[in-house]
Each structure stands twice: as structure tokens, then as C-alpha cells.
Amino acid sequence: MNHSRPNITDTLKKCYPFWEKLTDTQKEQLKTSSYIRDYEPGSFVHSRSEECLGILIVLTGQLRTYIQSEEGREVTLFRLGPGEVCTLSAACMMQEITFDIFIESTAASTLLITGASGIHRLMEANIYAENYIYRQTAERFSDVMWSMGQLLFSSFDKRLAAYLTDEYVKLGSDVISTTHEQIAKNLGTAREVVSRMLKYFEKEGLVALGRGTITIKNVSGLKKLLT
């Protein structure tokens, strides 16, 4: 990606609200523990085979966080956009987190990464930093619980309608560029299930299917499925 590299100090000030609560020494420690990295679409940011990464903040792009069964089935826990924080990538320093997660960059992304050892030392020394990290972790677990609730208790037609509606609003376009396989990964099901439901939606006049695209034809009809 050809763009100018953000200044690390300015980025830390912008991204971490507890910056002004740090001592000069702690600010310097945070700077030396942090770096900015670019990721290409489809590249892995974190997996169980890698070392503990640390805290991730999305500067540009989008991340998908998911878990994977031994058979390779994926369930998306949440997605993160610009300005959002992932603390689960620092699970190794939080004994309360005991499951493996995977993180991939679903778009060209630039991340602010603060190493696990550096953020751990900061949490031990500064109550403001500790409160911020645990608050962010609680919010991410809230997202995880919502995703699990949808997976366990919501019918698939509602889940797919909600996904398409969210993409329609987020993109500001009635054309969604994606594949049935990618939707299956996001919703934690098989591609065949997605394809069957999309064909049903097409017959009902809700969407039009193309190669690598889904066009929303009746967003009001999709929203009615959610009630």
C-alpha cells in the first residue's frame, strides 16, 4: 500500500484515551511497544500457531475475528472497522480467556499494534490503562455472546436477512460484492445452506444473484423477516 506512514506518537494519542493519564516514562514505554503494520486482503493477522500478538486497533480497513472447529468449520465472532479495538488477540496475557481465536484482514488494512508484554506492564502500572483494556475486552465478549445467541437461537433466514441488511447499510449500496463461501464463513454455516436460502430470497424478489455479487432488490422485505 502506498500511503504515508502515520506518526506513531500522534496515533497513540488519538487511539488510546488514557494517553494523558500516563507518566512520561509510561508514554515512552507505550511508544516502544507499539508499531503500525499493513495487511493485504485475505491475510492472517493472528492464529493459534502464532505468538501472542497484543492489542490491535484498526486504523483503516476491516478485520474478521472467528473461531474454527477441528473439521475446519468457521464461526465469525465479530468484525472490526476503523477506530475499533481487539483485545482478544492478547488473550495470552489474560488468564480468563481460554479459547483460540483467528483474525484475518478482509480488506486492505492498517493496524496499530501494541505488544502484549508492553500493554501488560502498562496495565499493572496504570489503573486508567487497565480499566480501558478490560472495558474493551468486555465489549468484545458482548459481541461474541450476541453472535453465539444468533447462531444458536435465530433461524437462518433471519440471520441471512440481517447480514444482507447490515451490509446494505454499511456499504451504502444495493450491490454487495461477496461470495456464498464468504457469507457461510461469516454466519457459521455451510456454503450450500447459504446458496439455497439466497435462491429462495431471489425467487421471493428480495435479491438478485450474480457472479460474486448480490443485489438487494427489496430491503423492506428483508427487514420484515427480522420481525
Side-chain angles (χ1 to χ4, degrees), residues 84-97:
E84 295 186 298
V85 184
C86 182
T87 57
L88 301 190
S89 48
C92 59
M93 71 180 193
M94 299 180 186
Q95 296 180 356
E96 296 85 353
I97 304 176

Side-chain angles (χ1 to χ4, degrees), residues 30-127:
L30 184 59
K31 284 174 59 178
T32 57
S33 300
S34 302
Y35 56 96
I36 295 171
R37 177 174 293 177
D38 297 328
Y39 289 88
E40 296 298 327
S43 59
F44 278 101
V45 178
H46 176 77
S47 70
R48 77 176 85 190
S49 62
E50 298 177 351
E51 294 181 1
C52 187
L53 189 58
I55 304 300
L56 308 178
I57 300 181
V58 182
L59 302 180
T60 64
Q62 185 182 83
L63 302 181
R64 180 174 76 99
T65 302
Y66 62 97
I67 54 177
Q68 187 177 64
S69 70
E70 292 183 358
E71 296 77 23
R73 182 184 176 188
E74 297 176 2
V75 175
T76 298
L77 302 176
F78 52 84
R79 289 183 288 177
L80 299 171
E84 295 186 298
V85 184
C86 182
T87 57
L88 301 190
S89 48
C92 59
M93 71 180 193
M94 299 180 186
Q95 296 180 356
E96 296 85 353
I97 304 176
T98 58
F99 60 87
D100 293 315
I101 64 166
F102 296 82
I103 303 173
E104 69 169 340
S105 178
T106 56
S109 302
T110 301
L111 309 181
L112 171 66
I113 303 173
T114 301
S117 59
I119 202 69
H120 183 58
R121 288 195 303 271
L122 193 61
M123 289 172 65
E124 290 184 329
N126 189 286
I127 188 64

Side-chain angles (χ1 to χ4, degrees), residues 43 57 83 120 142 154 181 191 200:
S43 59
I57 300 181
H120 183 58
S142 178
S154 182
E181 180 68 29
R191 181 185 59 79
Y200 170 74

